[in-house]
Amino acid sequence: MRSDRAKKGIERAPHRSLFHAMGYTDEEIARPIIGVVNSKNEIIPGHIHLDAIVNAVKAGIRMAGGTPMEFPAIGVCDGIAMGHEGMKYSLVTRELIADSIECVATAHAFDALVMIPNCDKIVPGMLMAAGRLDLPTIFVSGGPMLAGKYAGKRISLTDMFEAVGAVGAGTMTKKELEEMEVCACPTCGSCSGMFTANSMNCVTEVLGMALPGNSTIPAVYAARIALAKKAGMAIMHLFEKGITARKIMTEEAFHNALAADMALGCSTNTILHLPAIAHETGIPFDLRTINEISERTPNLCRLAPAGNHFVEDLDAAGGISAVLAELAKNKIINTKLLTVTGKKIADNIKGAVNRDPEVLRPIDTPYSKNGGIAVLYGNLAPNGCVVKRSAVAPEMMKHSGPVRVFDCEEDTFAAIQKGGIKAGDVVVIRYEGPRGGPGMREMLSVTAALAGRGLDKQVALLTDGRFSGATRGASIGHCSPEAAMGGPIALVQDGDRVTIDINAYSITLDVTEAELKKRKAAWQAPAAKITKGYLARYAKMVSSADKGAILT
């Protein structure tokens, strides 16, 4: 056992004395030691209840003959951090989470790990750690929130952000907003639509790193506790069989994850996190692969914000197993790959049934023949930019319009609230990338303000920052190279025209090459916005978005 490094032999008597200081018995010390990474805190709705999940995991580990030892991981709630300086500190926690897990797991020679995340950057940070450490590892998340209800309609966090725009436009009263805010998020759990948290939990299950049902069983269901116990038992099986993370997270597994991503219409943040996870796992990742997979993968689900269904509905329809079963009918996924069940995908989805073809479209009657995400290229984004195609209105799939340029999120939001953005505009928000932000903020407040004013079907957005999974509309993020690195987005001027053709994977700044060269010669890099602390260090080390915003 790996843990013998810290507990076996005469020379480890001092080490064992420290275990005894915590009340561990000789029997517990002799067993495999399983690190249980608990990201529970009292600031994230998806994490407030994770102690219950942790206790169930520990029970499963003990039932199967292991000794669980819990340690923490940090987390940021993207919704609470949204729209102010706090959002600069969201993406950057991904690396802190991966690094801290590496430190604790290696320092204490754990034999295996159970990762217990739920939201936003915590899931990919833990997946990065799993790929880096290559230990037997299993994930069990806290599960999704149930949808809220207001005025006879099911709602989610997206509706709250859009309601702010509606109040600004005069189509909703402040009293109605106050009534709505106590209804939108009725339970603990990751926000109820196919936003980043649930997208990444779905990706984790498809990668093979979580048990069937992990992505969709609601947080408040008893089945979530039972699943956690099974995960605790399953980690002991993985340990005994020597099945480590890299034996599961193979290149083909990433292709499966991308195919499911396209079928589900996941958050564009998956296209930021999957390259980073692949990097830690030693697997090459080319953004152009995304469009290739998207071209052959139909979009089967349109959960909020793209539609009126929620993750709880996908669970009732059969969950990710039913999604994979639909994709397997056309051989879009490889079902021969190993998972944390110790079995192959084909075994896991045997008997899976699509119980609601309204929520999960059958493979022969999809919402669209191509996938939910597209990577656009052109002279404005030579290294690519990303859009959630399934959440774009048909009339915005092709668009050409005059540019309104803003150098930060706050100025953009203020202009929208004052009615300064008009139908047909292309809004460019720059210097919000990984380095320029720093931290590559999500800008749900901006997109929701537009939607609240009814402009989501008339205005396109482009940024070197990123958009929340709760975003709908022609919101195009991750523009690479970013403005702070002198990318073409830094050269755009008010009044220029941008032409977008999403299904042709194209985005073009309608300015001559000669004019762009002239502007580039005159461009000067802006001064760093933050000069001390973690963000300053992050800005110096972070790569571009097309590389996953990894630290180099």
Side-chain angles (χ1 to χ4, degrees):
M1 290 187 293
R2 191 169 180 266
S3 59
D4 285 346
R5 304 173 189 176
K7 67 184 184 184
K8 190 173 184 178
I10 294 174
E11 67 277 11
R12 295 296 181 255
H15 304 61
R16 291 192 296 275
S17 72
L18 294 170
F19 283 112
H20 288 305
M22 295 179 280
Y24 290 109
T25 65
D26 288 334
E27 291 81 3
E28 288 175 302
I29 297 169
R31 293 171 182 165
I33 296 178
I34 313 300
V36 178
V37 190
N38 182 6
S39 58
K40 190 262 185 185
N41 61 42
E42 296 181 348
I43 193 61
I44 306 177
H47 292 235
I48 190 74
H49 64 303
L50 290 188
D51 278 350
I53 304 295
V54 168
N55 288 335
V57 166
K58 289 178 180 178
I61 291 170
R62 291 189 182 105
M63 283 191 285
T67 297
M69 294 187 181
E70 176 186 341
F71 66 95
I74 65 166
V76 165
C77 176
D78 278 21
I80 294 173
M82 193 72 66
H84 59 90
E85 186 184 20
M87 181 45 70
K88 294 178 183 288
Y89 286 86
S90 173
L91 176 62
V92 302
T93 62
R94 189 185 69 181
E95 272 62 30
L96 289 174
I97 291 163
D99 291 349
S100 63
I101 292 171
E102 174 196 356
C103 291
V104 176
T106 306
H108 300 98
F110 289 129
D111 294 302
L113 294 170
V114 180
M115 306 285 197
I116 304 176
N118 208 23
C119 294
D120 301 302
K121 308 307 136 345
I122 298 94
V123 182
M126 289 186 176
L127 282 167
M128 289 166 68
R132 188 185 301 177
L133 291 165
D134 195 28
L135 295 172
T137 306
I138 193 169
F139 281 65
V140 55
S141 75
M145 182 185 293
L146 297 180
K149 294 180 181 178
Y150 177 72
K153 176 188 174 184
R154 292 203 300 166
I155 62 173
S156 71
L157 183 65
T158 297
D159 298 278
M160 280 310 309
F161 277 95
E162 292 182 4
V164 173
V167 171
T171 58
M172 175 180 273
T173 67
K174 289 184 179 180
K175 185 176 185 300
E176 288 171 328
L177 182 70
E178 290 169 358
E179 291 173 349
M180 189 175 177
E181 73 180 56
V182 298
C183 304
C185 301
T187 73
C188 62
S190 49
C191 294
S192 55
M194 190 54 76
F195 312 149
T196 302
N198 291 323
S199 294
M200 286 308 305
N201 281 319
C202 289
V203 164
T204 302
E205 186 174 331
V206 179
L207 278 172
M209 293 297 292
L211 295 176
N214 181 67
S215 315
T216 59
I217 296 172
V220 294
Y221 283 14
R224 173 64 53 180
I225 299 298
L227 183 79
K229 291 176 183 176
K230 291 177 182 178
M233 291 185 279
I235 192 61
M236 297 308 300
H237 176 73
L238 295 174
F239 167 73
E240 290 160 5
K241 297 296 183 182
I243 300 173
T244 63
R246 291 193 184 190
K247 292 180 180 177
I248 294 172
M249 289 197 289
T250 63
E251 185 170 4
E252 287 181 299
F254 278 90
H255 290 173
N256 276 356
L258 284 170
D261 192 334
M262 299 304 157
L264 291 164
C266 289
S267 163
T268 53
N269 279 315
T270 59
I271 308 306
L272 191 66
H273 299 317
L274 281 171
I277 299 161
H279 172 76
E280 295 291 353
T281 313
I283 292 171
F285 194 103
D286 185 346
L287 280 187
R288 294 186 184 274
T289 303
I290 294 166
N291 289 343
E292 293 171 8
I293 292 174
S294 185
E295 277 298 301
R296 64 173 185 264
T297 307
N299 179 220
L300 306 180
C301 286
R302 293 205 171 165
L303 307 186
N308 297 318
H309 298 126
F310 298 86
V311 179
E312 64 187 87
D313 301 320
L314 179 58
D315 184 66
I320 295 302
S321 290
V323 175
L324 295 179
E326 290 289 352
L327 294 176
K329 291 176 183 177
N330 283 11
K331 299 183 179 179
I332 293 170
I333 60 165
N334 184 343
T335 62
K336 297 179 181 179
L337 304 185
L338 185 64
T339 74
V340 291
T341 63
K343 301 176 182 178
K344 296 177 181 178
I345 293 172
D347 300 314
N348 293 345
I349 65 175
K350 189 175 182 179
V353 176
N354 182 353
R355 294 191 289 265
D356 191 339
E358 291 299 313
V359 174
L360 171 59
R361 291 281 184 89
I363 194 74
D364 54 353
T365 56
Y367 282 102
S368 63
K369 293 181 179 180
N370 48 27
I373 289 179
V375 181
L376 314 185
Y377 293 92
N379 66 342
L380 190 47
N383 295 345
C385 53
V386 184
V387 63
K388 187 170 183 175
R389 172 165 47 188
S390 59
V392 178
E395 56 266 42
M396 290 298 293
M397 298 301 285
K398 285 186 178 182
H399 181 75
S400 182
V403 168
R404 292 291 312 280
V405 181
F406 299 91
D407 287 346
C408 68
E409 175 188 2
E410 289 84 357
D411 290 350
T412 316
F413 183 77
I416 295 169
Q417 291 296 81
K418 291 176 182 177
I421 303 301
K422 307 299 181 185
D425 285 346
V426 176
V427 176
V428 171
I429 313 170
R430 62 191 177 193
Y431 298 109
E432 290 286 5
R435 181 176 298 182
M440 201 180 182
R441 289 190 285 184
E442 286 185 345
M443 287 178 272
L444 178 57
S445 296
V446 168
T447 58
L450 281 173
R453 288 175 171 267
L455 291 172
D456 56 297
K457 296 179 181 180
Q458 299 171 302
V459 171
L461 284 156
L462 174 68
T463 184
D464 52 6
R466 59 196 179 94
F467 293 114
S468 166
T471 292
R472 59 188 173 96
S475 303
I476 305 165
H478 310 190
C479 188
S480 300
E482 64 173 289
M485 298 178 71
I489 192 172
L491 311 179
V492 181
Q493 297 179 0
D494 276 335
D496 290 344
R497 290 190 71 84
V498 167
T499 299
I500 300 161
D501 189 338
I502 292 175
N503 284 332
Y505 306 105
S506 171
I507 185 164
T508 305
L509 176 62
D510 297 327
V511 172
T512 66
E513 189 64 29
E515 174 63 18
L516 286 178
K517 286 182 179 179
K518 180 181 175 181
R519 294 181 188 181
K520 184 63 182 286
W523 178 80
Q524 292 183 340
K529 295 177 183 176
I530 295 177
T531 58
K532 62 181 180 179
Y534 178 57
L535 280 181
R537 295 196 301 274
Y538 179 89
K540 292 176 182 178
M541 296 185 290
V542 69
S543 76
S544 61
D546 62 297
K547 302 296 182 185
I550 59 174
L551 298 186
T552 57

